[in-house]
Amino acid sequence: MEKTTDEQAQQPQQTLLVDSEKYLKSGVHIGTRFKSSDMKKYIYKMRKDSLNVMDIQTIDQRIKFAAKFLARFPAQKIAVVARRLYARTPAQEFAKAIGAKEITGRFVPGTFTNYSCSRFFEPQVVVIVEPELDKQAISEASKINAPVVALASTNNSLQNIDIAVPSNNKGRKSLALVMWLLGREYLKETKAIENDSEYTKKVEDFEYQMKDTDREEETEERPRRRFQDRERRERRPRY
């Protein structure tokens, strides 16, 4: 049975990776006006403006969990995929921080599955920033049995995703904070650093810097297909 709000309030507060105010200011908990059946369990409430909101503590727990899982794999065998403009800098900086392979911009079909592809790379695990935009990479990861860790907002399907990190995967500050934390926790889990103070990267390093030619992306995307299509899953989340 789900806990009521009062019961949740009585639970001991966990130690967060960063101060809760930092999470809130980044907007990491703000989802979209749409919610998929997969993401319902991560939604805390709906705001008056109809935006779905995710729970900060749950986000924090999932970042920790994802980092522990990724730490099972050597960094050079981790692929980080990000097509969204705002996600490219966070993905690139995360890859630099831990020594992973970054694949930003358009994902060329066959990158994970076709040996003759000029960009061929065979990952042991794949990190996805936006499941809806990066579905080609998810599909190919599934074909080579590489588990997928994905940042997922309230509207995303978790088809062929093994570990979801519920978060605002569309906002610049949110993306920067989540990928910064994921990098820090991965390095701690692999003993590359002993504590937070040894992590020299700054959150600001992970944030995409707007240019005059850029157009602000909307907080949410329009759904590209009806959620009925998303109900057909080849594989449910395993972790």
Side-chain angles (χ1 to χ4, degrees), residues 70 74-82 91 94-95 98-103 107 111-112 121-129 137 146-149:
L70 290 172
Q76 63 270 24
K77 284 296 184 179
I78 299 175
V80 190
V81 180
F94 171 79
I98 72 169
K101 170 73 172 179
E102 56 101 348
I103 303 173
F107 183 86
T111 297
F112 295 158
F121 179 72
E122 191 170 13
Q124 291 182 4
V125 63
V126 178
V127 177
I128 296 290
V129 178
V148 174
V149 175

Side-chain angles (χ1 to χ4, degrees), residues 17-31:
L17 296 173
V18 292
D19 187 79
S20 60
E21 192 64 26
K22 195 161 191 173
Y23 274 132
L24 294 172
K25 284 185 177 179
S26 75
V28 70
H29 60 305
I30 305 300

Side-chain angles (χ1 to χ4, degrees), residues 34-37 154-157 223 225-233:
F34 303 95
K35 60 181 177 183
S36 68
S37 58
T154 58
N155 65 306
N156 290 135
S157 164
R225 64 180 67 177
R226 293 183 180 276
F227 284 113
Q228 287 90 330
D229 294 337
R230 295 176 176 171
E231 297 299 325
R232 298 176 181 176
R233 298 178 179 80

Side-chain angles (χ1 to χ4, degrees), residues 65-233:
F65 184 72
K68 286 180 182 292
F69 179 78
L70 290 172
R72 301 179 189 178
F73 304 90
Q76 63 270 24
K77 284 296 184 179
I78 299 175
V80 190
V81 180
R83 180 170 182 172
R84 179 181 292 280
L85 181 64
Y86 292 177
R88 295 176 192 177
T89 299
Q92 290 164 352
E93 291 301 319
F94 171 79
K96 288 179 187 177
I98 72 169
K101 170 73 172 179
E102 56 101 348
I103 303 173
T104 55
R106 179 177 176 269
F107 183 86
V108 177
T111 297
F112 295 158
T113 56
N114 186 350
Y115 288 94
S116 63
C117 178
S118 61
R119 297 187 182 181
F120 178 75
F121 179 72
E122 191 170 13
Q124 291 182 4
V125 63
V126 178
V127 177
I128 296 290
V129 178
E130 167 56 272
E132 193 158 358
L133 293 182
D134 299 322
K135 56 188 176 183
Q136 177 66 29
I138 295 173
S139 175
E140 293 192 16
S142 177
K143 290 177 181 177
I144 63 171
N145 293 317
V148 174
V149 175
L151 276 59
S153 189
T154 58
N155 65 306
N156 290 135
S157 164
L158 298 184
Q159 179 178 337
N160 289 330
I161 291 172
D162 299 283
I163 295 179
V165 178
S167 54
N168 176 352
N169 59 9
K170 299 169 178 60
R172 289 184 297 134
K173 293 185 181 299
S174 172
L175 286 167
L177 181 58
V178 173
M179 296 304 285
W180 178 78
L181 285 172
L182 203 55
R184 188 187 76 183
E185 295 307 300
Y186 175 89
L187 293 175
K188 284 163 60 179
E189 289 292 333
T190 56
K191 307 302 181 185
I193 61 174
E194 292 296 323
N195 51 56
D196 295 349
S197 63
E198 292 183 22
Y199 192 50
T200 57
K201 293 278 189 179
K202 298 179 180 179
V203 179
E204 292 75 18
D205 297 333
F206 284 65
E207 185 177 338
Y208 177 81
Q209 299 303 311
M210 292 292 296
K211 302 177 180 63
D212 292 338
T213 55
D214 291 338
R215 180 181 178 182
E216 281 282 0
E217 295 187 13
E218 296 180 0
T219 304
E220 62 183 87
E221 286 191 335
R222 295 178 181 178
R224 299 188 177 188
R225 64 180 67 177
R226 293 183 180 276
F227 284 113
Q228 287 90 330
D229 294 337
R230 295 176 176 171
E231 297 299 325
R232 298 176 181 176
R233 298 178 179 80

Side-chain angles (χ1 to χ4, degrees), residues 42-56:
Y42 297 119
I43 296 173
Y44 174 61
K45 66 177 182 179
M46 180 185 288
R47 298 195 322 192
K48 291 181 179 179
D49 59 4
S50 298
L51 285 175
N52 291 293
V53 177
M54 294 167 278
D55 178 62
I56 293 295

